[in-house]
Amino acid sequence: METPVGYAGEKDEVLKRLRRVEGQVRGLQRMVEEDAYCIDVLTQVSAATKALQAVALSLLEDHLGHCVAHAVAEGGAVADEKVKEASAAIARLVRS
């Protein structure tokens, strides 16, 4: 049996935000194809990056509030593993 994901209740919102980022990336491709000014392209890269980071933070919050909280309530090795997993995900986000 699959474990329900923490963002299941907000799946439509997550997908909407990801589609928006996808549109931003397509816009970046057009800008490069049209030889847009470098700083303008960089500004849009920054905006797309921030949008992806916002999605990642939302998913992380859902994961902590649902998956990790559920595992901690169960306790034991499962809880330890979920906390380590969340810590590694946070470390990856901080490095990116």
Side-chain angles (χ1 to χ4, degrees), residues 10-95:
E10 299 176 14
K11 185 175 180 177
D12 290 340
E13 181 61 28
V14 171
L15 287 170
K16 184 172 138 183
R17 293 172 84 179
L18 287 171
R19 285 186 199 102
R20 203 172 306 135
V21 172
E22 181 182 23
Q24 287 177 294
V25 172
R26 281 194 306 270
L28 279 164
Q29 291 170 335
R30 276 191 303 277
M31 289 177 78
V32 171
E33 287 170 354
E34 296 169 1
D35 297 320
Y37 184 55
C38 300
I39 296 302
D40 293 340
V41 175
L42 289 170
T43 298
Q44 292 308 310
V45 167
S46 178
T49 299
K50 287 181 197 260
L52 270 177
Q53 287 171 338
V55 171
L57 288 174
S58 173
L59 291 170
L60 180 60
E61 183 178 348
D62 290 340
H63 181 67
L64 291 172
H66 180 266
C67 303
V68 176
H70 185 269
V72 168
E74 286 184 18
V78 173
D80 293 341
E81 182 59 33
K82 286 294 180 190
V83 169
K84 286 179 188 175
E85 182 182 71
S87 294
I90 292 167
R92 286 190 301 273
L93 288 173
V94 170
R95 286 191 297 263

